[in-house]
Amino acid sequence: MKVSRIAAVAVVAGTAVLAVSSPAFAHVTVQPEGAAAKGGYAVIDFKVPNERDNASTTKLEVSFPTDHPLASVMPQPMAGWKIEVTKSKLAKPMEMHGEKIDEAVTKVTWTAEDKGIEPGYFQKFPLSVGALPEDTDELVFKAIQTYSNKEVVRWIEVQQKGQAEPENPAPALALSAATDDEHGSTAAKDTAAKTETTASDGSDSSGGSDTTARVLGIVGIVVGAAGVAYGVLAGRRRSTGSEA
């Protein structure tokens, strides 16, 4: 009897621990679709799970880091959701593609127009962002999740290096090493430079065309001369035959 009681207590205790720790397995997170390279552009998805059995997620607010502002933030249209983009003035204007930018997106809010994210489901909220900063290894966003029963969960705790994960961690986007892309990339510049060098080189396509034309001209002259010689010889043979 004592053994069975101890086992029962252990099961109850284990269940209680799982019940307390289970929300830690379902955070609001952010991941790129492909790579999120420093200095480039990327499409990122905020993944929002519904952690409640009796309520739906009806609102998501994502705040952007002010220490690394993003000049370009474009949401993808989503059926059943109203999207609001909030911009704010920058304390220090930044330059992008030769233009000065004095404001940036500081928050994007998605509000459900229907049922939202129902229990047992999750939803991805995509954004196109850029240009990503080159002086940091990650971007930390702060997200607020609101349920249909008015409950609010704040995913705003920043993970500290060397410490355990907080209860409600803020979504963090890891940035990869800078790579060349279509926006003024080194590869594009190299291609343009090679094209320019080829155009100015003495062995370019126009020079090759001139050489080919000269060769064809000489061949034509030789063939013509051969034809004339053949005609003269043929005439002589005919005249010799008629005299005989």
Side-chain angles (χ1 to χ4, degrees):
M1 292 295 291
K2 289 183 179 180
V3 174
S4 60
R5 288 179 181 177
I6 293 174
V9 171
V11 171
V12 172
T15 304
V17 171
L18 288 176
V20 171
S21 61
S22 60
F25 294 101
H27 306 326
V28 172
T29 58
V30 59
Q31 291 292 333
E33 294 184 8
K38 298 178 181 179
Y41 289 74
V43 174
I44 60 176
D45 295 325
F46 287 90
K47 182 180 178 181
V48 181
N50 191 327
E51 298 179 302
R52 303 295 178 261
D53 296 328
N54 57 353
S56 298
T57 295
T58 56
K59 189 176 183 180
L60 174 69
E61 300 171 74
V62 175
S63 295
F64 286 71
T66 56
D67 55 343
H68 294 97
L70 300 175
S72 176
V73 176
M74 292 186 293
Q76 178 177 310
M78 295 176 59
W81 293 86
K82 176 185 176 182
I83 307 174
E84 182 181 359
V85 178
T86 303
K87 292 184 177 182
S88 301
K89 289 287 184 180
L90 296 175
K92 182 181 179 181
M94 59 182 178
E95 188 170 322
M96 182 178 179
H97 301 308
E99 296 183 4
K100 285 188 177 181
I101 306 297
D102 60 358
E103 67 176 9
V105 172
T106 52
K107 185 166 68 174
V108 178
T109 304
W110 292 266
T111 305
E113 296 180 321
D114 196 2
K115 295 180 181 180
I117 309 173
E118 297 184 84
Y121 292 87
F122 75 91
Q123 179 76 55
K124 288 183 178 181
F125 297 83
L127 291 173
S128 174
V129 299
L132 297 173
E134 300 181 24
D135 57 350
T136 185
D137 293 328
E138 71 171 11
L139 289 177
V140 178
F141 303 85
K142 294 186 177 182
I144 298 178
Q145 182 179 12
T146 303
Y147 287 91
S148 56
N149 61 1
K150 308 303 180 183
E151 179 187 1
V152 176
V153 181
R154 301 178 183 275
W155 304 96
I156 61 174
E157 298 178 61
V158 180
Q159 173 71 54
Q160 301 299 324
K161 188 175 182 180
Q163 296 185 11
E165 184 181 58
E167 183 178 355
N168 294 314
L173 176 68
L175 303 181
S176 59
T179 58
D180 295 332
D181 61 13
E182 68 276 12
H183 298 283
S185 66
T186 302
K189 293 178 181 178
D190 288 345
T191 302
K194 289 179 181 178
T195 303
E196 184 177 355
T197 301
T198 303
S200 60
D201 194 351
S203 60
D204 60 7
S205 58
S206 60
S209 299
D210 291 343
T211 302
T212 303
R214 291 173 184 173
V215 172
L216 291 176
I218 294 173
V219 172
I221 293 173
V222 172
V223 172
V228 172
Y230 177 80
V232 171
L233 290 175
R236 288 181 179 178
R237 288 177 182 175
R238 290 175 184 175
S239 61
T240 302
S242 59
E243 289 177 356

